[in-house]
């Protein structure tokens, strides 16, 4: 009997677990609104680039579209903070207000202690003469520390924790005005200041490490960095954890910082402009390599005048006007790629020549999304029985269009990820990594503002190549390589799925793995049932005669409508001070059974086996979990 009690305890505990899949999926869905906005704001930058190249008298219009594009890309920390709070607090207005308030306090508090020394270094508390390239950033002209999306996510997490902890807090009589969600707003400034202090203490070391790691990865030979990045990214699809992996490479200095290469690129621009050898030019003029932005421009103009090239100074001013602080503060492969591809004064080739292989973490996905996965889907579709083809034609067509046009790959990957994981992890994921490595080796430079589909290929590949004709993006190699990779994939999957073992795994419902749907449905039912009964009294609740569930509810907090709609509930009656729920045990599912276990477990554990056949029910549930590898 004791073992059976433990089984029931374990079953309830197990069913309440938050699986890694659901957690990462929730993060991804929280950030998705930001991701779907990126193509629009990337298009604003493209329009500014087009206007710059077709007209010499539209400076104001160029500025407008550049500013519009920067609204999102220069403030990702704020938007990520808001997005994650919305996702994890069910879009509560007070939580979102607390997020905005806290992020502004976070940025401003740190910025109050930043001292720009004017020589390419900054001071921050006991961190003296630190590189401005590494630490300094601007938030709407407020100088602050470079925390990027990490800072936004950190603030967001603190807001979520505090909000969920204190959103229902009660205060003594007379202070009710400040209770519940208002209390969260009151304490968040103090909590945020504490977080800002922690960041000042530890973040300079962290960001230095991130920069060094980013510089190290870009020096890896033969596209090894792209191979590792893409392979692991596809590995993590099984738990929907791609965003946790690719986020640092796409949105932080791990993927590269443009400011680190400002000195070299301006040196090349000036050297070519005045007819001098650019290599070592600024060094011979004794221009400090730590200088950035306005300080660097001032030093270069002074040196030009000193060496008889003062007539080139206006070109330097135009170069700075065409790039500016917002451009050079971009970091992360995705963000930096968008800025570099859509600038007329500095382009993506300049950064590759300087040693930063911009777009190496985005270019490798286009052949996979536009050619390989559609080829795999076609191979699988042709292996379906004729009767199955008609029923699943719509799903396959939609999945192919989503992958090729939008770069959304999961609908096709789910076709074989769970059914044949060895094929996915042993062949497909490494093959995706190989594609990324080859695109880096061939120096293909295509950016991404959404995902690597035809839409991105046009906006961040074809358009910048046509407008900025000096950029050698080599986008023509994408379809050439893609067709080759697609043929390999089609042939491999087509003949492999001719084999009975693989062919048998081709089901009829591919929208998501069937077992995942079943698990999610039952877990959601269990959690919804828990919330439907409100706060229960402690006396005499449990099953009566194996058919009735007797519940004492505090303040009658039971969602009768929801419970009545459940197939296993035959009727609900309110008698004296308790509810009597008649149960049809033939309609019980795993979720509803475990809900009943949880309700009556505290009252009398000895009733479990006899009343609800606990052992058999749990064993059935356990078999499902084992079968689907979810326990």
């Amino acid at each position: 009997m004791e073992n059976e009690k433990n089984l029931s305890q374990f079953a309830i505990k197990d069913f309440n677990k938050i699986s890694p899949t659901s957690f990462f999926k929730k993060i991804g869905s929280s950030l998705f609104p930001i991701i779907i906005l990126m193509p629009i704001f990337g298009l604003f930058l493209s329009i500014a680039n087009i206007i710059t190249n077709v007209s010499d008298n539209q400076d104001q219009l160029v500025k407008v579209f550049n500013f519009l594009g920067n609204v999102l890309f220069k403030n990702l920390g704020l938007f990520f903070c808001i997005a994650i709070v919305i996702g994890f607090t069910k879009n509560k207005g007070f939580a979102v207000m607390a997020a905005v308030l806290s992020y502004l306090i976070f940025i401003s508090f740190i910025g109050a202690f930043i001292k720009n020394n004017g020589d390419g270094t900054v001071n921050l508390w006991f961190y003296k003469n630190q590189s401005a390239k590494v630490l300094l950033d601007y938030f709407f002209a407020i100088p602050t520390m470079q925390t990027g999306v990490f800072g936004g996510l950190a603030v967001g997490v603190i807001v979520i924790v505090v909000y969920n902890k204190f959103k229902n807090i009660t205060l003594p009589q007379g202070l009710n005005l400040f209770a519940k969600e208002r209390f969260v707003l009151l304490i968040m400034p103090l909590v945020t200041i504490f977080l800002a202090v922690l960041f000042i203490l530890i973040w300079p070391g962290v960001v230095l490490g991130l920069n060094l790691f980013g510089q190290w990865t870009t020096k890896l030979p033969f596209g090894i960095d792209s191979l590792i990045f893409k392979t692991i990214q596809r590995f993590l699809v099984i738990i929907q954890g791609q965003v946790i992996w690719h986020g640092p490479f796409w949105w932080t200095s791990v993927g590269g910082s443009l400011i680190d290469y400002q000195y070299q690129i301006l040196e090349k621009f000036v050297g070519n402009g005045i007819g001098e050898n650019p290599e070592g030019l600024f060094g011979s003029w004794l221009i400090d390599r730590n200088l950035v932005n306005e300080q660097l421009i001032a030093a270069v103009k002074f040196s030009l005048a000193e060496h008889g090239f003062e007539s080139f100074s206006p070109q330097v001013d135009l170069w700075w006007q065409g790039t500016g602080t917002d451009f050079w503060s971009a970091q992360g492969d995705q963000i930096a790629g968008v800025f570099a591809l859509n600038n007329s004064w500095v382009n993506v080739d300049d950064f590759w020549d300087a040693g930063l292989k911009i777009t190496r973490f985005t270019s490798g996905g286009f052949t996979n999304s536009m050619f390989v996965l559609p080829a795999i889907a076609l191979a699988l579709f042709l292996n379906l029985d004729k009767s199955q083809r008609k029923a699943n034609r719509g799903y396959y067509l939609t999945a192919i269009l989503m992958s090729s046009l939008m770069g959304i790959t999961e609908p096709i990957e789910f076709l074989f990820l769970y059914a044949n994981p060895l094929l996915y992890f042993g062949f497909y994921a490494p093959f995706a990594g190989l594609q990324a490595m080859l695109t880096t080796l061939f120096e293909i430079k295509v950016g991404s503002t959404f995902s690597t589909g035809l839409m991105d290929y046009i906006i961040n590949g074809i358009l910048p190549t046509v407008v900025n004709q000096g950029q050698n993006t080599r986008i023509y190699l994408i379809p050439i390589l893609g067709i080759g990779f697609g043929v390999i994939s089609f042939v491999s999957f087509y003949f492999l799925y001719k084999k009975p073992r693989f062919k048998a795994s081709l089901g009829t419902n591919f929208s998501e793995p069937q077992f995942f749907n079943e698990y999610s449905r039952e877990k959601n039912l269990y959690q919804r049932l828990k919330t439907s009964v409100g706060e229960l009294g402690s006396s005499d609740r449990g099953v009566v005669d194996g058919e009735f569930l007797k519940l004492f509810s505090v303040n009658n907090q039971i969602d009768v409508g929801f419970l009545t709609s459940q197939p296993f509930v035959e009727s609900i009656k309110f008698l004296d001070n308790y509810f009597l729920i008649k149960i049809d045990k033939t309609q019980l599912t795993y979720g509803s059974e475990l809900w009943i276990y949880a309700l009556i477990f505290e009252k009398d554990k000895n009733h479990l086996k006899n009343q609800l056949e606990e052992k058999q029910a749990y064993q059935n549930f356990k078999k499902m979990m084992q079968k689907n590898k979810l326990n």
Side-chain angles (χ1 to χ4, degrees):
M1 177 62 70
E2 187 64 32
N3 290 337
E4 291 166 6
K5 296 174 190 174
N6 292 336
L7 283 179
S8 183
Q9 284 181 306
F10 181 79
I12 295 169
K13 180 180 178 183
D14 187 67
F15 212 64
N16 276 287
K17 285 181 178 178
I18 298 176
S19 69
T21 301
S22 62
F23 174 72
F24 289 125
K25 194 171 185 179
K26 192 167 185 178
I27 291 179
S29 63
S30 298
L31 299 181
F32 191 68
I34 308 302
I35 295 171
I36 63 175
L37 285 174
M38 286 185 175
I40 299 173
F41 288 88
L43 188 59
F44 288 150
L45 295 177
S46 297
I47 293 172
N49 185 34
I50 293 171
I51 296 173
T52 301
N53 282 274
V54 300
S55 175
D56 296 327
N57 300 307
Q58 299 291 337
D59 289 346
Q60 189 60 46
L61 197 56
V62 170
K63 184 181 292 187
V64 167
F65 281 102
N66 272 326
F67 280 11
L68 289 175
N70 289 336
V71 166
L72 179 67
F73 291 116
K74 282 303 300 163
N75 303 296
L76 279 179
L78 172 61
F79 286 105
F80 272 50
C81 174
I82 295 172
I84 196 171
V85 168
I86 290 174
F88 281 83
T89 63
K90 299 181 181 178
N91 197 15
K92 298 297 183 180
F94 271 94
V96 175
M97 183 182 294
V100 176
L101 174 68
S102 298
Y103 188 79
L104 294 176
I105 292 172
F106 176 78
I107 291 296
S108 300
F109 182 86
I110 296 175
F113 296 99
I114 289 276
K115 180 185 177 183
N116 191 338
N117 298 323
D119 59 356
T121 65
V122 295
N123 294 343
L124 180 60
W125 284 10
F126 47 78
Y127 293 100
K128 304 296 184 182
N129 301 317
Q130 299 296 304
S131 173
K133 295 179 183 179
V134 176
L135 282 188
L136 187 60
D137 194 14
Y138 291 88
F139 179 77
F140 289 108
I142 300 174
T144 187
M145 184 167 62
Q146 175 62 263
T147 59
V149 297
F150 285 116
L153 291 174
V155 174
V157 168
I158 294 298
V159 171
I160 292 167
V161 172
V162 173
Y163 178 82
N164 289 330
K165 179 75 173 176
F166 296 107
K167 63 182 177 181
N168 294 317
I169 191 173
T170 58
L171 296 176
Q173 190 72 22
L175 296 176
N176 290 337
L177 178 65
F178 307 108
K180 297 187 176 181
E181 293 175 317
R182 299 182 188 91
F183 183 76
V184 175
L185 288 178
L186 288 176
I187 66 172
M188 276 313 304
L190 297 177
V191 176
T192 304
I193 289 173
F194 177 73
L195 176 67
V197 169
L198 288 179
F199 259 74
I200 291 175
L201 293 175
I202 66 174
W203 190 250
V206 174
V207 74
L208 178 61
L210 292 174
N211 274 4
L212 292 175
F213 180 74
Q215 293 171 12
W216 173 75
T217 58
T218 197
K219 294 177 182 177
L220 288 174
F222 312 118
I224 293 175
D225 51 347
S226 303
L227 168 69
I228 296 172
F229 168 81
K230 197 65 180 179
T231 302
I232 294 178
Q233 185 195 48
R234 300 337 294 164
F235 276 168
L236 293 175
V237 168
I238 194 168
I239 61 170
Q240 296 290 282
Q242 311 97 292
V243 68
I244 302 298
W245 170 252
H246 70 227
F249 292 91
W250 281 8
W251 305 319
T252 77
S253 58
V254 172
S257 297
L258 298 191
I259 194 70
D260 291 337
Y261 300 87
Q262 185 185 59
Y263 184 96
Q264 295 168 256
I265 290 174
L266 180 56
E267 183 180 51
K268 177 182 176 182
F269 174 77
V270 171
N272 291 337
I274 64 175
E276 297 284 335
N277 181 12
E279 188 172 351
L281 177 64
F282 284 2
S284 66
W285 289 355
L286 302 180
I287 298 177
D288 190 344
R289 295 188 68 90
N290 288 321
L291 295 176
V292 293
N293 297 331
E294 291 89 347
Q295 290 82 21
L296 178 60
I297 297 299
V300 169
K301 290 171 65 177
F302 178 83
S303 295
L304 285 170
E306 190 177 38
H307 291 84
F309 300 107
E310 188 172 4
S311 61
F312 193 72
S313 288
Q315 290 298 311
V316 174
D317 287 329
L318 289 173
W319 183 91
W320 176 243
Q321 182 182 340
T323 56
T325 304
D326 287 341
F327 175 88
W328 290 105
S329 62
Q331 57 179 215
D333 193 64
Q334 183 187 48
I335 307 304
V338 170
F339 276 86
L341 284 164
N342 292 289
N343 191 275
S344 300
W345 289 91
V346 178
N347 62 43
V348 69
D349 290 322
D350 293 325
F351 289 99
W352 277 68
D353 293 340
L356 178 60
K357 295 174 286 188
I358 292 180
T359 72
R360 69 193 188 280
F361 296 130
T362 57
S363 299
F366 286 92
T367 56
N368 194 57
S369 301
M370 294 168 58
F371 297 95
V372 169
L373 282 170
I376 290 175
L378 180 61
L380 298 183
F381 179 77
L382 294 177
N383 273 288
L384 288 172
D385 295 332
K386 290 185 178 180
S387 60
Q388 290 181 311
R389 290 183 191 176
K390 186 175 181 180
N392 291 282
R393 184 182 303 156
Y395 177 82
Y396 274 89
L397 178 61
T398 301
I400 289 173
L401 290 175
M402 288 177 69
S403 179
S404 58
L405 298 180
M406 306 293 291
I408 300 173
T409 61
E410 287 82 359
I412 297 177
E413 290 170 327
F414 281 158
L415 294 174
F416 58 98
L417 166 58
Y418 296 95
N420 292 294
L422 186 61
L423 177 63
Y424 183 93
F425 292 106
F427 172 74
Y428 167 73
F431 189 60
L434 177 65
Q435 295 171 62
M437 182 180 75
L438 290 177
T439 56
T440 299
L441 287 175
F442 283 109
E443 298 186 7
I444 299 172
K445 312 173 188 80
V446 187
S448 172
T449 49
F450 180 67
S451 196
T452 49
L454 180 61
M455 180 181 72
D456 256 333
Y457 183 70
I458 294 172
I459 295 176
N460 296 294
I462 294 176
L463 206 56
T465 302
V466 173
V467 174
N468 291 346
Q469 296 184 7
Q471 292 189 117
N472 184 21
T473 57
R474 301 189 179 184
I475 59 171
Y476 59 87
L477 290 175
I478 290 289
I480 295 174
L481 292 175
I483 291 172
F485 293 139
V487 170
I488 294 172
S489 302
F490 176 82
V491 172
S492 301
F493 275 75
Y494 181 79
F495 287 103
L496 191 61
Y497 272 79
K498 288 290 185 185
K499 299 181 180 296
R501 185 176 74 83
F502 287 93
K503 189 176 181 65
S505 66
L506 287 174
T508 57
N509 179 14
F510 297 110
S511 59
E512 271 191 274
Q514 186 175 352
F515 70 82
F516 185 79
N517 281 344
E518 184 178 0
Y519 174 80
S520 297
R521 183 174 61 251
E522 292 302 316
K523 180 173 181 178
N524 289 336
L525 172 62
Y526 170 66
Q527 293 174 335
R528 181 66 180 86
L529 286 168
K530 283 203 306 179
T531 61
S532 70
V533 296
E535 184 180 354
L536 295 175
S538 60
S539 62
D540 193 29
R541 68 172 184 258
V543 172
V544 180
D545 298 328
E547 294 183 358
F548 292 91
L549 187 62
K550 188 177 182 180
L551 299 178
F552 287 82
S553 176
V554 177
N555 298 325
N556 297 331
Q557 294 176 343
I558 284 186
D559 189 344
V560 176
F562 174 75
L563 289 175
T564 304
S565 69
Q566 299 305 305
F568 70 90
V569 176
E570 291 190 1
S571 64
I572 300 178
K573 295 181 180 180
F574 183 69
L575 303 174
D576 296 329
N577 61 341
Y578 65 88
F579 288 88
L580 194 64
I581 303 175
K582 188 176 182 181
I583 296 172
D584 181 359
K585 291 198 293 184
T586 64
Q587 297 295 322
L588 288 172
T589 62
Y590 298 115
S592 55
E593 283 184 347
L594 287 177
W595 173 66
I596 295 175
Y597 295 162
L599 285 175
I600 69 176
F601 196 74
E602 293 179 3
K603 178 183 177 293
D604 191 347
K605 300 176 183 178
N606 293 327
H607 286 178
L608 284 176
K609 180 178 180 181
N610 296 327
Q611 300 286 0
L612 288 172
E613 300 174 351
E614 175 215 27
K615 185 174 181 180
Q616 185 60 45
Y618 175 72
Q619 286 177 347
N620 291 339
F621 178 75
K622 189 67 175 176
K623 286 178 181 178
M624 183 189 79
M625 300 287 282
Q626 290 175 337
K627 176 183 177 182
N628 300 317
K629 300 178 181 179
L630 288 170
N631 59 326

